[in-house]
Amino acid sequence: MTTTSITTYASRGTRHRRPRHSIVPFLVPLVIWAGAAGVLALWWSDTTSVVGPAGWLTGAGRITGLLAGYACAVLLALMARMPLLDHTVGTDRLARWHALGGRCTVSLALAHTLLIIWGYSLTSHTNVVSQTSTLVLHYPDLLKGTVGFLLFLATGVLSARAARRRMSYETWHYLHFATYLAVFLTFGHQLSNGADFVGNRPAQLAWYTFFLGVSALLAWYRFAVPLRRGLRHRLRVAAVHPEAPGVVSVHLTGEHLDELGGKPGQFLRWRFMARGLWWTANPYSLSAPAHPRHLRITVKTAGGHSAALAHLAPGTRVWAEGPYGGFTANRRTAPKVLLLAGGVGITPLRALFETLQGDVTLVYRSRRPDDFALRGELDAIAAHRRATVHYVVDEPAGYSSPLTAQGLSTLMPDLAAHDVYLCGPPGMTQAAIAALREAGVPARRIHHESFAL
């Protein structure tokens, strides 16, 4: 066994057409910041003066409260699974924005609570404990708001990286539904008690419109569309085939599947109507280009849900949400492309390997030679399109090839001229990004999506 087992064919040199890139990823942050500026303008227009420590504390509490309320709606909108955002910005980037925004929202809500209590206690010349009791028990909707605030704090703690590592994807996913309840409970107290809304009818109408609009997006894209598509496409399991140790492919059949519009590189959230599986929808990439009559996913055992897929019975009903993600040919910017896969990360890259035009090279890393999934298909695709595949193993140790800038440059001497599509375990992805940047690949040409919590 050599360090790298290579299947090589001369490239056909298919002409590459430069894709058109959307401006949506650049506009979304601008729109979010413009909305935040509008919220600050609301406070500014309703504030005549700020005098003394109590005034400054209360003013800061009002600002943080307004921004926290605005951020709640933005967080929900980012995760509404709108195709316009999901297919252009990308699911992974939206998730990172959502995670960062979540930390900011919890911090703003906490600052709002502490500043308002402190400012009000100075104004009324009472201690903090007494003022807290007065606010919670005697101000309209503040008891509900307090419960919502505590739910936000609990969600923030459970979303911390150390906590997420100790729970399954399914548990983490369903605990996040508590944020819907938290937003509902905290919404009313801003309109009932907020100095910027009491008696300000235009501001109240704008706030209602904003939150009802976000609620409508969530109801449509998170619930109505998946239900409609489930009834329309009538997906069922056709067969389950082993591909490598702990890796299986699930073949599915259905009706009108061409209407799903799934592109190579995208994923769907799959809900298998079998015992122990029906209550959760997990993300798995398409491991072959979508066909009007059948789809395929390839899954590695990584938990209870994925392990159970190996035992699915043919005919099992399936509900699919999506397609999602921007990990597609639309991200391409250069004539040459490197597909860099680790483990089961080969699944979206296998579909891209078959369909991307032009000069495409695949590097597939795995722990042992037996762990390569779909190898026969990859070799057939390479032969058909006269492309190059490099199979790299980590074991045995004497034949391992470290994931470094030098190692990648040895395989690809002109690496810096490539677009790189990257998919693999989190550790491998981080190491690969560092190696690619060291090798001179611009960050804008490194494309990846992660499904880690």
Side-chain angles (χ1 to χ4, degrees):
M1 176 70 184
T2 57
T3 301
T4 308
S5 173
I6 307 176
T7 304
T8 307
Y9 303 86
S11 173
R12 288 180 176 176
T14 306
R15 187 177 179 181
H16 161 61
R17 291 183 295 177
R18 190 180 183 90
R20 294 179 297 176
H21 293 280
S22 172
I23 63 171
V24 174
F26 304 99
L27 287 180
V28 171
L30 293 177
V31 171
I32 292 174
W33 284 111
V39 170
L40 292 176
L42 173 62
W43 172 83
W44 182 268
S45 65
D46 197 53
T47 303
T48 55
S49 62
V50 179
V51 179
W56 283 104
L57 290 169
T58 303
R62 286 170 55 193
I63 291 173
T64 52
L66 286 169
L67 290 175
Y70 169 75
C72 285
V74 171
L75 290 179
L76 295 178
L78 289 176
M79 290 291 101
R81 299 177 186 169
M82 291 179 284
L84 176 63
L85 295 183
D86 203 273
H87 296 172
T88 56
V89 178
T91 303
D92 61 333
R93 192 186 301 178
L94 288 172
R96 290 195 298 270
W97 290 355
H98 177 81
L100 176 61
R103 292 190 288 270
C104 292
T105 303
V106 172
S107 299
L108 286 168
L110 182 60
H112 163 69
T113 302
L114 297 177
L115 289 167
I116 286 293
I117 292 173
W118 193 3
Y120 278 28
S121 66
L122 290 179
T123 301
S124 61
H125 304 288
T126 58
N127 61 63
V128 171
V129 174
S130 176
Q131 186 61 53
T132 301
S133 176
T134 300
L135 286 170
V136 172
L137 299 178
H138 300 290
Y139 277 61
D141 295 316
L142 259 180
L143 184 57
K144 291 191 299 182
T146 301
V147 175
F149 168 67
L150 294 176
L151 282 174
F152 270 125
L153 284 182
T155 303
V157 171
L158 292 172
S159 297
R161 186 170 300 177
R164 289 182 305 185
R165 290 172 179 167
R166 292 172 170 80
M167 67 179 72
S168 66
Y169 171 86
E170 294 83 6
T171 302
W172 174 83
H173 176 74
Y174 278 97
L175 283 174
H176 259 60
F177 278 112
T179 56
Y180 294 127
L181 178 60
V183 172
F184 174 77
L185 291 172
T186 56
F187 177 78
H189 94 277
Q190 283 196 303
L191 299 177
S192 301
N193 304 293
D196 302 289
F197 293 105
V198 175
N200 189 342
R201 193 65 176 171
Q204 293 177 4
L205 290 175
W207 209 245
Y208 269 115
T209 301
F210 182 39
F211 273 83
L212 288 175
V214 171
S215 299
L217 290 174
L218 286 167
W220 179 252
Y221 289 113
R222 296 292 295 266
F223 300 101
V225 169
L227 177 61
R228 179 172 60 87
R229 287 182 172 176
L231 295 173
R232 171 71 171 167
H233 299 304
R234 304 180 66 81
L235 279 166
R236 293 186 182 277
V237 173
V240 179
H241 293 151
E243 302 287 359
V247 180
V248 298
S249 285
V250 181
H251 298 258
L252 306 111
T253 60
E255 301 174 3
H256 315 290
L257 299 184
D258 52 321
E259 297 175 6
L260 279 173
K263 297 179 180 179
Q266 290 187 312
F267 69 94
L268 293 90
R269 288 183 169 87
W270 306 88
R271 188 184 303 274
F272 297 90
M273 306 307 290
R275 184 177 181 181
L277 298 176
W278 63 268
W279 62 282
T280 185
N282 281 30
Y284 299 116
S285 298
L286 294 171
S287 60
H291 185 275
R293 291 292 300 174
H294 57 81
L295 302 172
R296 187 185 73 179
I297 59 175
T298 302
V299 180
K300 180 179 177 62
T301 300
H305 187 279
S306 54
L309 300 189
H311 307 290
L312 285 171
T316 300
R317 187 71 184 270
V318 184
W319 294 76
E321 304 173 26
Y324 299 118
F327 192 62
T328 66
N330 290 337
R331 288 192 177 183
R332 184 176 181 178
T333 62
K336 296 182 178 181
V337 175
L338 168 64
L339 306 177
L340 181 54
V344 78
I346 190 61
T347 52
L349 298 185
R350 181 260 181 248
L352 286 168
F353 189 44
E354 180 177 344
T355 56
L356 279 175
Q357 297 180 357
D359 189 344
V360 180
T361 300
L362 171 64
V363 175
Y364 185 7
R365 301 180 61 89
S366 190
R367 185 175 299 276
R368 295 177 297 270
D370 292 343
D371 291 334
F372 290 116
L374 308 173
R375 182 165 182 171
E377 294 182 20
L378 297 174
D379 287 339
I381 293 169
H384 175 74
R385 64 177 301 161
R386 299 184 184 275
T388 303
V389 184
H390 299 274
Y391 296 100
V392 183
V393 296
D394 295 330
E395 297 177 2
Y399 299 102
S400 64
S401 176
L403 185 56
T404 62
Q406 181 178 357
L408 289 174
S409 297
T410 299
L411 294 176
M412 310 284 297
D414 58 345
L415 179 59
H418 286 69
D419 264 309
V420 181
Y421 285 76
L422 170 63
C423 189
M428 176 264 186
T429 299
Q430 294 172 7
I433 292 174
L436 290 167
R437 297 291 291 119
E438 184 180 346
V441 181
R444 68 180 183 278
R445 288 187 177 176
I446 302 174
H447 316 296
H448 67 96
E449 281 194 338
S450 172
F451 304 107
L453 294 183

